[in-house]
Structures are given as structure tokens and as C-alpha cells.
Amino acid sequence: MENKEFKSGFVGIVGPTNSGKSTLMNALTGKKISIVSPRVQTTYHGVRGIVNKKNAQVIFTDTPGYQQHPDRVARLLNRVADKNAGECEVLVWTFDASSPRVIHQIIKLKNKISQFKPKEQSVCVLNKIDLIPKLALLPIMDEIIKLDIFSQVIPVSAKKCDGIERLMNLIQKPLPEGPQLYPSEQVTDRSPSFLMSEFIREKIYRATRQELPYSVWIEMEEWQDPETLTQKNRVPTYRAIIHVDSESRKAILIGKKGEMLKRIGTEARKEIESMLGHQICLKLFVDVQKDWKEDSHQLNTYLELE
Ligand SMILES: Nc1nc2c(ncn2[C@@H]2O[C@H](COP(=O)(O)OP(=O)(O)O)[C@@H](O)[C@H]2O)c(=O)[nH]1
Ligand SMILES: [Mg+2]
């Protein structure tokens, strides 16, 4: 057998918000690395997921989606997406094939797409094909191919893991030759405490039916509970401080008799335990910090733009 050169590189998952980028990232890596919600503006940070293949190491970067009519915070999130996309060798432009506006969305981003990378390094993924009839897909693919800005147009369902293996194989082709960049056992560049805070944020978005985009940010700390410190086989305790920007949001998060917060805590704890592979104790606190979004320095630091 031919001994192929080893390839490695960064692949950015980019595109409009809510097109399923984070779901795609998790499908490609086979791990829950990026949080997913039906609301827009769930992803704030570039989060990397590392996949090891026989002849390649592929490092995916999930990004916040591009907002069409951005407000101040969304403009910053667009910058986060640009910054992360700029650091990648291949870009996977992800669109929601079931949206009637899919072609319009691609045309709106056309200049950005061709400015970022030459055609050979730009791949188009049409996601959510489980939601549309097969016949409806062909004319959409035709129109995209005519735009002549992508090397490939690949239909997938990230949620059903359909077409993911094929995408994985195609992505490796344009990657440059290079060494393994991360140790084989590493699955993300993020710390466990970052992932913990993200899982909590996801559960908050899912549990509260409120629109909470960027009104929540979370600080995690491992906490030495004095009561259990001397116990053998002690379960590690983590404290999460959930900062919200108003008293009314605090009340929503806590819920009647604290039920909402309890539910969020239980769901987040289960997910964290499954990531860490052991039991933990998770304590949630809610804190009101009225103007955190207005504080540009704090916001830029949180979004890692400074
Ligand atoms: N039916 C279907 N839903 C999907 C698919 N991929 C993502 N979704 C849903 O689309 C919504 C947005 O997904 P998310 O990954 O957070 O999108 P992002 O904002 O682009 O990162 C969530 O409710 C997902 O469950 C898919 O392939 N099929
Ligand atoms: Mg996302």
C-alpha cells in the first residue's frame, strides 16, 4: 500500500446563525463539544474539536453564526466568527437546506465566501436534509453550483448523522501536509471548566422559553466544600455563578420555589458527569450584574476579542 503523507489543519465551520453548525461539529467529532439550541446566538466562542484519522488530524472550529441584521453584540460575534475563520485552512460553509431563504442567504454571503478562501478550500454543506424531500434538494444544489464559489456542495443531516462520513473524507483532501498538532487523546482545545459552563448555558437556553441571548454569562470554580473535605471518596464540588442582566431574568431562572434552577442544575450535572466520567456535585448561584453587556472591555474579554 502507498504510504500517504500525514495531513493536518484547521477547518472552520461557518455560516448563518441556526444553520446547525454546532450540531455538525458534534457529529463530525462524535463528541458533545459545542452547545446546541433552537435559538439564535447560542455559540459565542470559537470552540475546537479534534479528530484523528489514520493519515490526518483535522481540527474543527465551530463559530458563532453570521447575523444578517446585527446589533452591537451580534457585530462582535460576527467578528469572533471572522477571526476564527481567518485562522483556518478549509472553510465549511453550512446552510439550512430546509429554509426557503437558503439561496438568498448564500448570495448575501457570496463576497465574504470568495474573499476568505479560494474555491478549492471552500466547501458548502447543505444541512437539515431530513426536513425536505429529496427532489427539492436538486434544484437548490444546482443553483449553488452555478454560483461557482465552492469546490463541493454536500447535503447532510447533522442531526441524523447522514452524509457525515463522506463530508469527513472530502474535507481532508485540501488540507496541507503537516504533523499532528494535538496529542491523540485530546478532543478539544477547551478546558473542562469551559465545557461545564457551556453545558449549563445550553440547559438554561433549553429550559427557559425566554429569549436570553447574551444576557447570561457563567463563571465556574471548583469549590472545596468544608463539610465534605475530610470525607473519603469525596465527590468534587463545582460552583457556577450565573450572571444575568436583570432582576426579572434572575426570577425566571430561579423559577417557582427554585424549580427552574434545580432542573437546569440536574440536567447540566448529568451532562458534565457523562463528559468527565465520574460523579460531581454542582451548585448554581444566580447573580444580577446589570450592565455587563454595556461594559465593552468585559464583553470583549468574554468573547476573547481582547
Ligand atoms: N432537523 C434537523 N435539525 C437540525 C439539524 N442540525 C441542527 N438542527 C437543529 O437546528 C437548531 C440549531 O442548531 P445549532 O447546531 O445550535 O445551530 P448553529 O446556531 O448554527 O450552531 C437546533 O435546534 C438543532 O437541533 C439537522 O440536520 N436536522
Ligand atoms: Mg452554534
Side-chain angles (χ1 to χ4, degrees), residues 211-231:
E211 286 291 334
L212 283 168
Y214 30 86
S215 17
V216 182
W217 68 285
I218 294 165
E219 273 180 302
M220 290 295 303
E221 55 191 34
E222 190 168 356
W223 189 49
Q224 304 296 347
D225 185 347
E227 281 188 22
T228 60
L229 209 53
T230 50
Q231 282 173 13

Side-chain angles (χ1 to χ4, degrees), residues 12-247:
I13 304 178
V14 281
T17 179
N18 234 30
S19 60
K21 296 176 299 300
S22 298
T23 310
L24 182 64
M25 160 90 150
N26 293 337
L28 285 161
T29 57
K31 295 264 172 0
K32 171 75 178 271
I33 290 170
S34 226
I35 62 170
V36 170
S37 100
R39 313 209 191 299
V40 297
Q41 302 297 359
T42 307
T43 307
Y44 292 168
H45 300 94
V47 178
R48 285 178 185 162
I50 302 150
V51 176
N52 294 296
K53 293 281 167 191
K54 198 162 146 249
N55 287 311
Q57 183 172 65
V58 190
I59 301 131
F60 292 99
T61 307
D62 187 18
T63 64
Y66 288 114
Q67 282 273 87
Q68 278 214 343
H69 306 289
D71 60 13
R72 188 177 71 91
V73 183
R75 267 201 300 278
L76 289 178
L77 289 174
N78 286 354
R79 264 179 60 201
V80 175
D82 280 347
K83 174 174 167 259
N84 281 283
E87 292 163 2
C88 292
E89 273 102 14
V90 176
L91 292 181
V92 173
W93 290 91
T94 307
F95 296 92
D96 177 352
S98 73
S99 159
R101 301 180 60 253
V102 57
I103 296 294
H104 174 78
Q105 283 180 329
I106 298 176
I107 290 173
K108 278 220 106 169
L109 284 171
K110 194 175 168 224
N111 286 341
K112 205 185 224 345
I113 294 169
S114 38
Q115 270 162 20
F116 256 125
K117 291 283 165 220
K119 197 177 143 181
E120 299 69 42
Q121 287 154 271
S122 306
V123 173
C124 176
V125 161
L126 278 175
N127 187 29
K128 309 198 191 182
I129 55 164
D130 56 299
L131 296 178
I132 56 165
K134 274 215 169 73
L135 276 177
L137 196 60
L138 292 174
I140 300 174
M141 289 181 70
D142 272 351
E143 283 209 49
I144 300 174
I145 291 165
K146 271 191 217 139
L147 292 174
D148 199 30
I149 47 176
F150 299 112
S151 62
Q152 303 270 353
V153 182
I154 305 157
V156 308
S157 166
K159 200 170 186 172
K160 307 251 153 117
C161 252
D162 183 8
I164 300 301
E165 197 53 45
R166 182 167 164 247
L167 174 62
M168 189 73 218
N169 290 333
L170 288 168
I171 282 169
Q172 291 171 53
K173 290 203 178 116
L175 284 183
E177 277 172 21
Q180 186 172 328
L181 299 168
Y182 289 91
S184 308
E185 65 283 0
Q186 194 170 338
V187 294
T188 177
D189 64 327
R190 295 290 179 169
S191 66
S193 77
F194 173 85
L195 295 180
M196 283 186 212
S197 69
E198 288 288 275
F199 291 164
I200 296 168
R201 209 155 59 78
E202 180 187 73
K203 301 310 169 204
I204 292 172
Y205 285 171
R206 290 188 178 189
T208 59
R209 305 243 167 252
Q210 277 252 323
E211 286 291 334
L212 283 168
Y214 30 86
S215 17
V216 182
W217 68 285
I218 294 165
E219 273 180 302
M220 290 295 303
E221 55 191 34
E222 190 168 356
W223 189 49
Q224 304 296 347
D225 185 347
E227 281 188 22
T228 60
L229 209 53
T230 50
Q231 282 173 13
K232 243 185 159 185
N233 302 327
R234 181 175 67 88
V235 175
T237 301
Y238 293 91
R239 268 158 55 107
I241 302 158
I242 305 169
H243 300 277
V244 290
D245 61 358
S246 71
E247 289 292 342

